[in-house]
């Protein structure tokens, strides 16, 4: 829609909003959150849907969603197991019908009052409006600096612009939803895909609230795995770097070999040097193993893609028109 049509739809509360809420073990807050989200959406529009995507929860999250009053606005997708948040978001995007899609978490950390700002910017002509954290003071020192280093590295080694401190909390226009549905990859890094599609976008700062209940499932190991996925999905620089390292080491070895031959011809053989030889072998062995490991990461991504397995399997599909 053109900006004038968007403004008119927002003013008349006729814009169709799809809210996609990925959940995993959120039984402590899911009912309160959905009730609060419905109340907020009624203030903004007469047409909306809430798609709860359960990512293989082991608690009572699904049953609590199913126990809520039935209406056409609340829908549930239950994945057959835990596929990860990136895939859960993908499932929601592939099943949403709105003119805009809003992605947010169910733990109240994403403030609902920011949805009005998202829609106002959308009405001005922005196709993507993403939330940016004002600060990370609530996070640990290690996690905060790891995130800073990751965003810096992605800026340096990729051709996409991933905004600092921007997560999945965002509004995207239907055009972008259609674009994202065209990506076939199984190993997904959604922040990179949001940036890759382009379109007109803007960031909205927001203060992250405390979790209303439950515990975060995002451990440092998962964040590290996601960072590796992001790097290998959008950059071949690690492969090129180790090719360059190999070239430098080979050049040094060639120069050293010339030096040894020259010294031997001039002064004869010299037996001492065994420790140097051991250190050199261990160093080169470590470099080779590290290079193989980096190459293995890329081969693993290729292996996953060529199998062409579905990105996810649905166990529950409730509230959708067949």
């Amino acid at each position: 829609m053109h900006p004038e049509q968007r403004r008119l739809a927002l003013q008349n509360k006729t814009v169709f909003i799809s809210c996609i809420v990925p959940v995993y073990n959120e039984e402590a807050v899911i009912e309160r959150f959905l009730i609060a989200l419905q109340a907020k959406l009624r203030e903004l529009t007469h047409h909306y849907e809430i798609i709860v995507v359960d990512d293989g929860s082991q608690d009572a999250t699904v049953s609590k969603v199913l126990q809520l009053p039935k209406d056409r606005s609340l829908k549930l997708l239950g994945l057959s197991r835990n596929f990860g948040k990136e895939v859960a978001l993908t499932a929601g995007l592939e099943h949403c019908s709105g003119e805009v899609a809003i992605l947010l978490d169910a733990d109240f950390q994403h403030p609902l009052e920011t949805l009005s700002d998202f829609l106002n910017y959308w009405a001005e002509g922005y196709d993507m409006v993403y939330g940016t954290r004002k600060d990370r003071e609530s996070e640990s020192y290690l996690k905060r600096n790891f995130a800073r280093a990751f965003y810096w590295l992605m800026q340096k080694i990729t051709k996409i612009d991933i905004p600092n401190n921007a997560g999945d909390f965002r509004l995207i226009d239907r055009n972008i939803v259609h674009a994202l549905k065209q990506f076939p990859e199984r190993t997904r890094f959604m922040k990179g895909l949001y940036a890759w599609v382009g379109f007109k976008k803007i960031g909205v700062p927001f203060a992250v609230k405390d979790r209303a209940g439950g515990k975060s499932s995002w451990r440092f190991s998962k964040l590290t795995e996601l960072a590796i996925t992001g790097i290998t999905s959008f950059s071949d620089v690690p492969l090129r770097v180790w090719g360059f390292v190999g070239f430098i080491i080979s050049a040094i070895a060639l120069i050293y070999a010339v030096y040894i031959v020259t010294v031997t011809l001039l002064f004869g053989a010299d037996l001492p040097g065994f420790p140097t030889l051991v250190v050199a072998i261990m160093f080169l062995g470590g470099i080779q193993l590290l290079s193989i490991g980096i190459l293995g990461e890329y081969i693993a991504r290729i292996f996953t893609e060529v199998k062409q397995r579905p990105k996810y399997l649905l166990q529950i599909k409730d509230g959708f028109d067949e």
Side-chain angles (χ1 to χ4, degrees):
M1 290 191 292
H2 297 295
E4 186 60 37
Q5 294 175 308
R6 293 182 181 185
R7 283 192 290 269
L8 188 61
L10 186 59
Q11 180 181 352
N12 296 332
K13 296 185 177 183
T14 58
V15 57
F16 186 6
I17 301 174
S18 295
C19 277
I20 299 171
V21 185
V23 296
Y24 179 71
N25 293 342
E26 298 287 2
E27 64 176 358
V29 297
I30 188 63
E31 290 180 281
R32 283 184 291 150
F33 174 78
L34 291 177
I35 292 172
L37 179 58
Q38 285 179 319
K40 182 61 180 180
L41 290 174
R42 291 191 192 103
E43 297 176 5
L44 301 173
T45 184
H46 300 306
H47 307 283
Y48 66 87
E49 65 177 359
I50 300 174
I51 302 178
V52 179
V53 186
D54 179 72
D55 191 22
S57 294
Q58 302 299 312
D59 60 3
T61 299
V62 171
S63 61
K64 290 200 172 188
V65 174
L66 293 174
Q67 290 170 5
L68 290 172
K70 295 294 182 181
D71 59 45
R72 295 178 61 85
S73 67
L74 183 59
K75 304 175 181 180
L76 173 65
L77 294 174
L79 306 187
S80 61
R81 64 171 177 83
N82 181 253
F83 285 88
K85 186 180 181 181
E86 311 293 293
V87 174
L89 290 170
T90 300
L93 290 170
E94 291 182 349
H95 287 82
C96 71
S97 304
E99 295 166 313
V100 298
I102 298 177
L103 317 177
L104 71 167
D105 294 341
D107 53 15
F108 285 100
Q109 287 192 301
H110 295 158
L112 297 181
E113 54 270 20
T114 308
L115 302 188
S116 302
D117 297 330
F118 282 4
L119 288 166
N120 288 332
Y121 278 113
W122 173 77
E124 293 179 10
Y126 291 96
D127 297 305
M128 183 183 299
V129 187
Y130 54 88
T132 58
R133 303 175 62 132
K134 290 182 177 179
D135 60 67
R136 290 180 172 269
E137 296 305 318
S138 60
E139 297 179 343
S140 66
Y141 176 84
L142 179 62
K143 184 177 179 181
R144 184 166 62 248
N145 284 277
F146 179 84
R148 185 180 296 112
F150 169 73
Y151 284 115
W152 176 86
L153 182 62
M154 290 295 287
Q155 293 283 353
K156 297 296 182 181
I157 68 174
T158 67
K159 297 180 180 179
I160 58 175
D161 182 20
I162 301 179
N164 289 337
N165 299 321
D168 295 309
F169 184 36
R170 63 186 64 217
L171 174 149
I172 56 180
D173 184 74
R174 189 69 194 173
N175 291 330
I176 298 181
V177 174
H178 283 310
L180 291 172
K181 289 168 68 174
Q182 297 179 44
F183 296 149
E185 54 251 57
R186 275 74 183 158
T187 305
R188 304 175 76 85
F189 178 64
M190 295 302 294
K191 297 180 186 65
L193 297 180
Y194 300 143
W196 190 92
V197 296
F199 292 92
K200 188 177 181 181
K201 61 189 71 174
I202 191 172
V204 175
F206 74 97
V208 178
K209 296 184 177 181
D210 295 332
R211 287 182 62 92
K215 295 182 179 179
S216 174
S217 60
W218 281 99
R219 297 180 178 86
F220 188 76
S221 58
K222 285 190 175 182
L223 293 174
T224 303
E225 181 180 353
L226 185 62
I228 293 173
T229 298
I231 292 171
T232 55
S233 296
F234 290 92
S235 176
D236 59 0
V237 169
L239 294 175
R240 296 184 178 185
V241 165
W242 286 105
F244 179 73
V245 170
F247 172 79
I248 294 298
I249 292 177
S250 298
I252 294 173
L254 179 61
I255 294 171
Y256 186 64
V258 172
Y259 168 77
I260 292 296
V261 170
T262 303
V263 171
T264 302
L265 290 176
L266 294 177
F267 304 104
D270 188 13
L271 291 178
F274 180 75
T276 304
L277 181 62
V278 171
V279 170
I281 292 174
M282 294 183 65
F283 172 73
L284 292 175
I287 290 292
Q288 290 172 342
L289 291 174
L290 182 59
S291 302
I292 292 172
I294 293 174
L295 184 62
E297 284 291 333
Y298 284 89
I299 294 175
R301 310 297 173 190
I302 298 172
F303 180 62
T304 299
E305 298 299 328
V306 298
K307 287 184 290 189
Q308 292 291 296
R309 290 176 181 169
K311 293 186 286 291
Y312 58 87
L313 296 175
L314 289 177
Q315 186 175 13
I316 301 173
K317 188 176 181 181
D318 183 73
F320 292 85
D321 294 329
E322 297 297 336

